[in-house]
Amino acid sequence: MSLQGKKALVTGGSRGIGSAIARRLAADGAAVAITYAGNKAAADETVAAIERAGGTAFAFQADASQPDSQRAGIEQAAAALGGIDILVHNAGVAEFSTITDDTDETYDRQFGVNVKGLHVGTRAAMPHLRDGGRIILIGSISGEMAFPATSIYSATKAAVAALARGWAKDLASRNILVNTVQPGPIDTDMNPADSEFAQQMIGVIPLGRYGRVEEIAGAVSFLAGPDASYITGTTLNIDGGASA
Ligand code: NDP
């Protein structure tokens, strides 16, 4: 229960990696609020699972790509929790296209959620974020290495890591620690381990398998907890060695 008494907000906590992070932080003792885009049933299931395990959780609809919606969701979450100690920006989208078929829309959708949504959300959270708090951004190893037909997504995730480094310096005087977790391929709706793409990917992962959502949640738990008290402005790749 290393996070007993802490209050955590996880964006995109209804499914996949975000749901696993919410469940893990709650299991560590934190009260948790999640946001979701449209999948209320999945958000309710995440909340119910946390409550069944004896934890406290809230869910709020907030489209990260829409600044007013994102701000409203963050405000609701902060009010329900009574402040924020741990902010995890996990909500993200990925689309496959190459420079020959990219469009303004594919660019705007991915930057809108993955970068602008995270920036708007952090600004909205700042008045509620306590000194000594943690901000953990979910980037991707795509931010530092290229995969086919994902250059826009890669650019968004490089921006995520850059924002974290900047915020780490800007917020150090308040002892707010800011880090980026960069997953490799993780089995979720976004990147199912049984797809044709996955079969190609597994060939370049030294550990020879996709990661599990719990393996990302464990790293977030560490960065949110007392043992990470001297870690800020860094990136942690969790990828079975894919970026080594
Ligand atoms: P999923 O597609 O499985 O889940 C995405 C989550 O984000 C859902 O909770 C979804 O909500 C939410 N979300 C999507 N769009 C928005 C939006 N506009 N506003 C608010 N919430 C939104 O994705 P993963 O769990 O796989 O990915 C989570 C994060 O991890 C992302 O940032 C992704 O880029 C990153 N990542 C994933 C990897 C992987 O291999 N899976 C690898 C590297 C990084 P709803 O349920 O309502 O749709």
Side-chain angles (χ1 to χ4, degrees):
M1 300 295 272
S2 58
L3 302 180
Q4 190 75 50
K6 302 291 185 190
K7 297 155 192 305
L9 167 55
V10 182
T11 69
S14 44
R15 290 183 289 123
I17 292 169
S19 179
I21 293 169
R23 294 173 199 225
R24 175 61 191 264
L25 298 183
D28 291 342
V32 176
I34 63 169
T35 64
Y36 63 98
N39 199 332
K40 183 173 188 314
D44 288 345
E45 174 47 32
T46 299
V47 168
I50 290 171
E51 289 176 343
R52 277 196 301 274
T56 301
F58 310 92
F60 300 99
Q61 194 278 334
D63 184 341
S65 70
Q66 304 299 318
D68 287 346
S69 175
Q70 177 76 326
R71 278 190 280 268
I74 302 276
E75 289 296 334
Q76 287 174 297
L81 291 169
I84 301 171
D85 298 292
I86 301 157
L87 172 63
V88 183
H89 274 296
N90 162 81
V93 291
E95 297 183 29
F96 284 103
S97 59
T98 69
I99 187 62
T100 51
D101 53 21
D102 285 342
T103 64
D104 292 349
E105 288 73 26
T106 57
Y107 184 97
D108 288 343
R109 275 197 296 269
Q110 292 176 90
F111 269 89
V113 177
N114 300 2
V115 184
K116 188 169 182 182
L118 178 149
H119 189 259
V120 167
T122 302
R123 280 163 41 217
M126 283 315 299
H128 309 286
L129 193 63
R130 298 212 174 91
D131 290 0
R134 307 288 167 91
I135 301 176
I136 299 158
L137 309 183
I138 306 301
S140 168
I141 59 168
S142 293
E144 54 185 62
M145 62 189 293
F147 296 96
T150 53
S151 58
I152 295 174
Y153 178 73
S154 289
T156 69
K157 294 302 190 178
V160 166
L163 286 171
R165 285 190 292 272
W167 295 346
K169 293 199 172 168
D170 293 345
L171 299 175
S173 62
R174 292 181 54 194
N175 199 31
I176 294 173
L177 311 184
V178 190
N179 293 292
T180 306
V181 168
Q182 300 194 142
I186 307 297
D187 184 17
T188 66
D189 295 341
M190 178 188 282
N191 189 2
D194 57 2
S195 70
E196 198 177 313
F197 175 77
Q199 295 319 304
Q200 294 167 17
M201 282 302 307
I202 284 168
V204 300
I205 302 169
L207 290 186
R209 65 170 176 87
Y210 261 38
R212 296 184 296 273
V213 291
E214 293 80 8
E215 292 173 312
I216 304 303
V220 171
S221 166
F222 164 68
L223 288 172
D227 287 342
S229 53
Y230 199 54
I231 302 176
T232 195
T234 197
T235 55
L236 177 56
N237 291 4
I238 303 173
D239 61 0
S243 62

